[in-house]
Amino acid sequence: MTRHRGFGGRTSDSESVSKVVDDVHTGEQYHKFILASPRDRVVRDRFQKMALDLLPAGADVLDFGAGTGIDAKAYAASGHPTFVYEPAEAMREYLLQYCRDEIARGTLIAVASPLTCKVQAVTANFAVLNHFADHALLFEELSQVVHQGGFVLANMLNPYYLGDARYGWWRANVMNLVRRGHYAIVSESSIHRFAPRVVVRAAAPYFRLERLIPRGFGWATDLYMFLLFRRI
């Protein structure tokens, strides 16, 4: 997978399922796999609750890297007009099937480019942003999508997660993380890990960090981190 500059394709939603996504051939297989994971269900529920609590009633949202539409379906069911952007063909095909009722009602709209919509919020769940080598151009483009005062909520892989310390690639990149705040894992899925400060710097001057979860001991124990950016 090539490095991204701005809006582009990706092959999976998180490093924890990257190998599975590489091996499966349909969006349905991925959909069933991700729903069968107890850990991922808990993370998804937390992310959806946070997004829905932040959204004003009836506000529209863009699900960026929507996968098979699991989050998007929940947003639409809660009364939010929902745009979905998913560049991976297999995922997009199953999304159109899984969300066909919402699409027919016009509560969910698939877009070929995020730049074609203007919304109150953008959500990016399960490490979508970890497939970008640099986020500066991405946030510049998202600034054209999000209304002033709106937000971007991203779920990214936590580079400090000690559960990965058993892997050689994690130990080999500890100093890269400390010195540069970024490193890439050589794999078909091209996963990048970022210290929060690097993403915050890339988001400026269009967005400011409003919330970072977890804090404290959670940095060592949680695989994912939630970053909430407010449009300036």
Side-chain angles (χ1 to χ4, degrees), residues 81-102:
T82 304
F83 297 88
V84 291
Y85 172 67
E86 174 50 62
E89 183 177 358
M91 300 293 183
R92 188 170 60 250
E93 287 179 354
Y94 193 73
L95 183 154
L96 296 176
Q97 176 184 338
Y98 179 65
C99 299
R100 60 185 178 276
D101 293 340
E102 291 79 8

Side-chain angles (χ1 to χ4, degrees), residues 34-193:
I34 199 74
L35 288 180
S37 167
R39 179 184 64 185
D40 289 340
R41 286 203 304 272
V42 170
V43 173
R44 185 182 299 282
D45 289 346
R46 288 176 52 218
F47 185 87
Q48 287 182 5
K49 183 179 186 306
M50 186 171 176
L52 291 170
D53 286 348
L54 287 163
L55 281 166
D60 43 16
V61 58
L62 166 67
D63 191 356
F64 179 69
T68 57
I70 300 170
D71 290 335
K73 196 179 187 78
Y75 302 149
S78 296
H80 298 285
T82 304
F83 297 88
V84 291
Y85 172 67
E86 174 50 62
E89 183 177 358
M91 300 293 183
R92 188 170 60 250
E93 287 179 354
Y94 193 73
L95 183 154
L96 296 176
Q97 176 184 338
Y98 179 65
C99 299
R100 60 185 178 276
D101 293 340
E102 291 79 8
I103 294 172
R105 289 194 296 267
T107 58
L108 190 150
I109 302 169
V111 295
S113 168
L115 294 174
T116 61
C117 60
K118 192 79 172 178
V119 296
Q120 183 66 24
V122 172
T123 61
N125 202 359
F126 283 117
V128 171
L129 299 194
N130 287 97
H131 290 272
F132 290 77
D134 188 300
H135 297 108
L137 180 57
L138 172 65
F139 277 106
E140 180 181 350
E141 292 174 332
L142 288 177
S143 72
Q144 302 174 49
V145 176
V146 180
H147 291 294
Q148 188 172 13
F151 66 87
V152 172
L153 178 62
N155 172 4
M156 299 185 68
L157 290 163
N158 176 10
Y160 304 105
Y161 174 56
L162 289 183
D164 287 334
R166 63 188 183 275
Y167 300 116
W169 54 260
W170 190 93
R171 297 190 298 273
N173 283 291
V174 168
M175 292 311 298
N176 289 330
L177 180 62
V178 172
R179 292 170 181 166
R180 299 196 297 270
H182 167 242
Y183 63 87
I185 301 170
V186 179
S187 69
E188 186 176 348
S189 298
S190 296
I191 295 291
H192 298 264
R193 296 289 186 109

Side-chain angles (χ1 to χ4, degrees), residues 191-213:
I191 295 291
H192 298 264
R193 296 289 186 109
F194 299 92
R197 70 178 188 275
V198 175
V199 188
V200 172
R201 185 166 60 244
Y206 307 102
F207 296 87
R208 61 175 172 80
L209 181 68
E210 186 169 292
R211 199 180 309 173
L212 172 63
I213 302 171

